[in-house]
Amino acid sequence: MPRPLRYAAVLLAAASLLTSTGAEVIAQDPPTGRVRVDPNLSGKDPFAARAARTARPVLEPAQKQEQEGEAEVAAPARQAAFKDALFLRGQTEPTVGEVLSISGAEGVVLAFDGKTRTYPLGTVERVEIEVTEEFRRGVAAFALGETSGAQSQFNKALELFQQARRQSPRRLEKEWATAKIVETYSALGRDDEAVSEFFILCRLDPYSVYLPSAPLRWLNQTTLNRGSSADAKQLAETSAAEWLKLADNPSGKLNPTGRLVAASYLLHSSNYGKDALDAIRGLVVLEPPDGASDDLADACKTISLLASAQLWRDAVLRKPTEREVARWKQTLELLPPEAKLGPLTLVAIGEKSLGLDEQAAEDFLRVCALGSRQFSLAEVAAKEAADAFERLKKHDAARQIRADAEARFHN
């Protein structure tokens, strides 16, 4: 069986053993081998479709235009001078023009018909952006890496995104390519380099729309066999120390996104741990300024919730109480879908420490299935899911997960 399908099949087989307990089913989505999570009919699915208004719009490369001489099949609206397209929630026809900027605090700025208009993020379902061929090929390579777990595909994607950032004439594509570089480093387990790259985005927007790509740390220990160099670790730590500062940081102003990433990275640093903890506690009570837009208020809420979840990292070092883990689950429900994976990992660790193996197995399995872009989370979750199945006396499932994790993470 090809590896893209093999991993999904292993998860399907393992998840089928959980269905008798009321857990959600992880299923293969033929014929691509991608993995999806079907809703638990007995309860709320925290990875449900993008219903929450705090969910960020989906960014996609614009559809490739027909070459001269080929049949004209594009919609008339796509014949404008610029080919970016904005799809508003509840509407099927896009507004076409040039996307000038996308901000977590100020929404999407679109130029069309000789005018400029700003659209709040909460009104936008999808944005299609004209990109270079290098970026487009990078997206394809990244997708292959996600379905197969092949490091070679992620390395190819990294080179293409770096090339796109150098060559693109558009600032918007350069920013998006930087976010994709961050995601690719994370997918490769090179978390230190991902952190340094993400700080570039923090300079541009203190409430970055790319917050879902932020390489926040959720694990206190990892089992990674590959990662960044000593120089990369030193650079990331030095940079993060500067971003911990309230206003005297590289952006020269209050920068909650940069401070959150820095504090997350340095939380257990021997040199900066105390300052990082103070920063996280400050972000827990982050409030939007008076008169803030809905987008800015939503960004502050998400940063505050993620900061709260960062505090769970210390709680799992001791045995958390059932009441604590129950409260964590309530916080998890408040986060937008794209920000749940790290906090869910800590919930699963808490469930494991309480002896709730069926719940822990389910949640670790979710992280493993959905964490193709976050190598360190997916690797640890695979090990923990297999261990949980062993404790449940479901040895075949544990053996299958371990065998596939060996191929996925250590080839």
Side-chain angles (χ1 to χ4, degrees):
M1 181 182 296
R3 285 194 60 212
L5 299 182
R6 181 173 178 266
Y7 186 66
V10 169
L11 290 175
L12 175 60
S16 67
L17 297 176
L18 282 173
T19 56
S20 62
T21 68
E24 294 176 2
V25 180
I26 296 180
Q28 182 180 327
D29 190 5
T32 64
R34 288 190 289 269
V35 174
R36 68 175 186 272
V37 176
D38 289 342
N40 180 347
L41 299 180
S42 63
K44 185 180 294 184
D45 175 15
F47 287 96
R50 304 168 55 84
R53 62 162 267 98
T54 53
R56 293 291 195 258
V58 174
L59 298 184
E60 296 178 349
Q63 298 176 10
K64 201 168 185 179
Q65 299 300 305
E66 298 290 340
Q67 299 296 318
E68 186 176 354
E70 292 182 347
E72 188 65 47
V73 296
R78 289 302 185 86
Q79 307 311 307
F82 299 106
K83 303 302 182 183
D84 300 336
L86 199 67
F87 292 81
L88 300 179
R89 297 185 188 277
Q91 295 185 9
T92 57
E93 291 298 319
T95 301
V96 177
E98 180 186 14
V99 175
L100 301 178
S101 65
I102 305 177
S103 167
E106 299 174 2
V108 181
V109 179
L110 183 74
F112 65 101
D113 294 339
K115 57 186 177 182
T116 299
R117 182 174 175 181
T118 300
Y119 296 83
L121 293 178
T123 68
V124 180
E125 179 67 33
R126 187 169 86 252
V127 185
E128 292 184 1
I129 299 171
E130 280 289 336
V131 293
T132 59
E133 184 61 25
E134 288 77 17
F135 190 101
R136 198 181 298 276
R137 289 168 54 206
V139 170
F142 190 93
L144 284 175
E146 285 190 287
T147 55
S148 68
Q151 182 180 10
S152 61
Q153 291 296 332
F154 285 126
N155 283 327
K156 179 180 178 181
L158 180 62
E159 292 177 3
L160 288 164
F161 289 135
Q162 290 170 334
Q163 188 176 354
R165 183 169 66 179
R166 288 193 301 270
Q167 296 181 353
S168 176
R170 299 186 68 180
R171 171 176 167 169
L172 183 64
E173 182 178 344
K174 291 179 183 293
E175 292 178 16
W176 191 11
T178 300
K180 299 303 291 184
I181 289 169
V182 171
E183 291 178 11
T184 309
Y185 274 133
S186 295
L188 287 165
R190 295 165 63 176
D191 297 334
D192 301 303
E193 288 150 295
V195 166
S196 295
E197 287 284 345
F198 193 81
F199 286 141
I200 297 173
L201 297 172
C202 296
R203 284 179 178 270
L204 301 173
D205 185 359
Y207 301 93
S208 177
V209 74
Y210 300 107
L211 180 60
S213 302
L216 297 175
R217 291 207 162 179
W218 297 104
L219 301 170
N220 298 315
Q221 295 178 333
T222 72
T223 60
L224 295 178
N225 291 327
R226 62 189 180 203
S228 304
S229 65
D231 288 343
K233 292 179 184 293
Q234 182 61 50
L235 175 61
E237 181 166 309
T238 301
S239 299
E242 291 299 310
W243 282 98
L244 268 186
K245 299 173 183 177
L246 191 60
D248 188 21
N249 57 62
S251 70
K253 55 188 174 184
L254 294 175
N255 200 305
T257 303
R259 202 169 192 225
L260 175 66
V261 174
S264 172
Y265 185 80
L266 297 173
L267 182 58
H268 291 151
S269 164
S270 57
N271 295 322
Y272 304 104
K274 183 181 182 301
D275 291 338
L277 180 59
D278 288 343
I280 288 174
R281 287 172 173 165
L283 290 168
V284 168
V285 294
L286 179 67
E287 292 286 345
D290 292 340
S293 66
D294 287 343
D295 286 340
L296 179 53
D298 288 340
C300 289
K301 175 185 175 183
T302 299
I303 291 170
S304 173
L305 291 170
L306 287 171
S308 296
Q310 281 288 311
L311 295 177
W312 307 348
R313 291 171 55 188
D314 284 338
V316 297
L317 294 175
R318 55 172 174 78
K319 182 178 178 180
T321 66
E322 290 187 23
R323 185 174 181 179
E324 282 180 298
V325 174
R327 188 167 63 247
W328 296 353
K329 290 182 178 180
Q330 292 175 344
T331 300
L332 193 67
E333 292 294 327
L334 298 175
L335 281 164
E338 62 270 21
K340 292 179 184 287
L341 206 60
L344 179 63
T345 306
L346 296 178
V347 167
I349 294 173
E351 291 168 338
K352 169 191 170 183
S353 71
L354 293 170
L356 303 174
D357 287 328
E358 289 184 350
Q359 295 177 36
E362 174 189 350
D363 287 334
F364 280 128
L365 201 59
R366 280 187 182 187
V367 175
C368 188
L370 299 170
S372 56
R373 299 187 181 195
Q374 299 186 46
F375 180 96
S376 55
L377 290 184
E379 183 193 29
V380 169
K383 177 184 181 301
E384 293 290 355
D387 290 348
F389 275 115
E390 290 284 10
R391 293 192 295 272
L392 292 167
K393 310 300 183 185
K394 295 176 179 177
H395 306 296
D396 287 344
R399 190 159 45 246
Q400 288 176 322
I401 291 174
R402 287 198 178 103
D404 199 77
E406 180 67 24
R408 183 182 180 191
F409 300 116
H410 303 296
N411 66 335

